[in-house]
Amino acid sequence: MNTIKVFCFGFGQVAKHFVKKIISQNLTLELSVTSRQETHKEVFEGISFTSYEFENNKFDENINLKIKEADYILVSVPPISGEDIVIKNFKDSLKTVKAKWITYLSATSVYGDHNGEWVNEKSETKPSTLNGKNRLQAENDWRVFSKENNLPLQIFRLSGIYSKQNNILKRLKTGQAKIIKKEKHFFSRIHVEDIANILFFSLKKFKTNEIFNISDDQPASQEEVAVYGALLLKMNKPNPLKVEDLEEGMLKDFYKESKKVDNKKIKNFFNYQFIYPSYKEGLDNIVNDFI
């Protein structure tokens, strides 16, 4: 693997950490990405690349050529009104790609509520939130489109992502963290560096039409994580709130569903050991940035 051509639909924290991982391995990378801004040149981690305009129905036509040339296509843009906008706008070009893989980043919200029990890739998907329903519809669109056109697709269902930039410590310090009291409410999370590592390993080890959960080893309640963060910062934990006191929206939706996400499949397939197997290792690693 010498020069590789990577096309990223969306260039958020996951895509950036993935690209950073590739560069750290001294591989020659030809990178193209999309953003809502007008097409322009950028520099990231010392490499120059083009960011092509793409917003719903408005896009730079050069994207069609770039995805046909790409070795790897990462899709991290969310669906709009339940419709995957990448398939919607680029299906004709995608049918003829030479890519070794197309990776669609979904979310574990597709599982819905399992009353705090474990879920794996074979579990029933029964989302109750709009976000979960839209993600599941987009997943299904990709699976059908991939099979119809014999495309090399893998789907990664991501748990709640945290990083040095976005985490409970930062929210505690800025007063934005909330502790919601709800018995037996579990959710899973994943550090962005672990996602990047698994994406990188899949460049060489890949099986088409597979779905993988990407989640760490230790599901926990939001209260447990916030209390541990406050302990690290030597702060008082925020006063607890009741779910019924929350305004309608994404935060309240989050508490409608409880599950523990199993990660055995991805650990076994990639023979992967997490850098941050739980929120404790992840927060321990970044706490000095917030003290």
Side-chain angles (χ1 to χ4, degrees), residues 172 177 179 181 223 226-228 230-231 234-240:
L172 285 165
I179 289 182
K181 295 293 289 186
E223 180 178 9
V227 167
Y228 186 76
L231 184 67
K234 297 179 173 59
M235 293 175 59
N236 292 326
K237 66 179 184 180
N239 293 324

Side-chain angles (χ1 to χ4, degrees), residues 12-27:
Q13 62 175 340
V14 172
K16 286 178 178 173
H17 278 80
F18 171 47
V19 167
K20 188 175 179 179
K21 176 68 177 180
I22 294 173
I23 295 169
S24 74
Q25 301 302 302
N26 297 317
L27 298 173

Side-chain angles (χ1 to χ4, degrees), residues 25 56-57 65 76 80-81 83 95 102 107 111 116-117 168 173 195 224 226 240 246 251 271 285 287:
Q25 301 302 302
N56 200 357
N57 299 320
L65 175 62
S76 60
I80 295 179
S81 301
E83 186 173 27
K95 290 176 182 178
I102 299 171
Y111 291 113
E117 297 299 317
I168 187 65
K173 290 286 282 189
I195 304 173
E224 183 181 334
L246 296 175
L251 182 59
N271 190 27
N285 179 254
V287 67

Side-chain angles (χ1 to χ4, degrees), residues 134-241:
N134 287 345
R135 283 292 186 184
L136 184 58
Q137 182 60 55
E139 272 192 22
N140 292 335
D141 290 345
W142 271 105
R143 292 170 73 180
V144 170
F145 183 70
S146 169
K147 289 179 180 178
E148 287 177 347
N149 297 284
N150 196 29
L151 298 177
L153 174 72
Q154 65 183 357
I155 294 174
F156 286 166
R157 290 174 175 164
L158 308 180
S159 290
I161 303 170
Y162 71 102
S163 64
K164 284 189 175 182
Q165 292 74 36
N166 300 289
N167 56 73
I168 187 65
L169 301 179
K170 184 175 183 179
R171 294 194 296 277
L172 285 165
K173 290 286 282 189
T174 58
Q176 296 175 313
K178 294 180 174 66
I179 289 182
I180 313 300
K181 295 293 289 186
K182 186 177 182 184
E183 292 298 316
K184 297 182 180 179
H185 184 267
F186 296 97
F187 76 104
S188 298
R189 60 199 58 72
I190 185 69
H191 195 289
V192 71
E193 288 182 27
D194 280 310
I195 304 173
N197 282 348
I198 292 168
L199 280 167
F200 179 77
F201 290 160
S202 74
L203 297 179
K204 289 187 176 180
K205 187 169 187 180
F206 170 81
K207 185 178 179 182
T208 192
N209 290 320
E210 288 291 327
I211 295 176
F212 296 97
N213 294 330
I214 303 189
S215 177
D216 70 22
D217 295 339
Q218 189 175 333
S221 69
Q222 185 266 358
E223 180 178 9
E224 183 181 334
V225 178
V227 167
Y228 186 76
L231 184 67
L232 289 179
L233 294 172
K234 297 179 173 59
M235 293 175 59
N236 292 326
K237 66 179 184 180
N239 293 324
L241 302 171

Side-chain angles (χ1 to χ4, degrees), residues 11 23 31 40-51:
F11 200 49
I23 295 169
L31 175 66
H40 62 282
K41 291 281 188 182
E42 283 191 38
V43 175
F44 178 74
E45 295 291 317
I47 68 163
S48 177
F49 67 96
T50 301
S51 176

Side-chain angles (χ1 to χ4, degrees), residues 18-109:
F18 171 47
V19 167
K20 188 175 179 179
K21 176 68 177 180
I22 294 173
I23 295 169
S24 74
Q25 301 302 302
N26 297 317
L27 298 173
T28 305
L29 174 65
E30 183 179 314
L31 175 66
S32 303
V33 310
T34 69
S35 72
R36 294 188 181 95
Q37 299 173 317
E38 289 186 2
T39 298
H40 62 282
K41 291 281 188 182
E42 283 191 38
V43 175
F44 178 74
E45 295 291 317
I47 68 163
S48 177
F49 67 96
T50 301
S51 176
Y52 294 94
E53 182 178 15
F54 175 35
E55 184 172 12
N56 200 357
N57 299 320
K58 185 181 180 183
F59 58 88
D60 188 321
E61 290 287 348
N62 288 304
I63 293 174
N64 288 293
L65 175 62
K66 286 298 179 181
I67 60 177
K68 286 182 179 182
E69 295 176 346
D71 297 313
Y72 303 96
I73 299 172
L74 179 64
V75 182
S76 60
V77 293
I80 295 179
S81 301
E83 186 173 27
D84 184 85
I85 60 174
V86 175
I87 295 176
K88 175 185 175 182
N89 289 290
F90 303 104
K91 58 185 176 182
D92 290 339
S93 295
L94 286 167
K95 290 176 182 178
T96 60
V97 296
K98 66 179 185 67
K100 297 177 176 66
W101 64 233
I102 299 171
T103 298
Y104 179 73
L105 299 183
S106 184
T108 55
S109 57

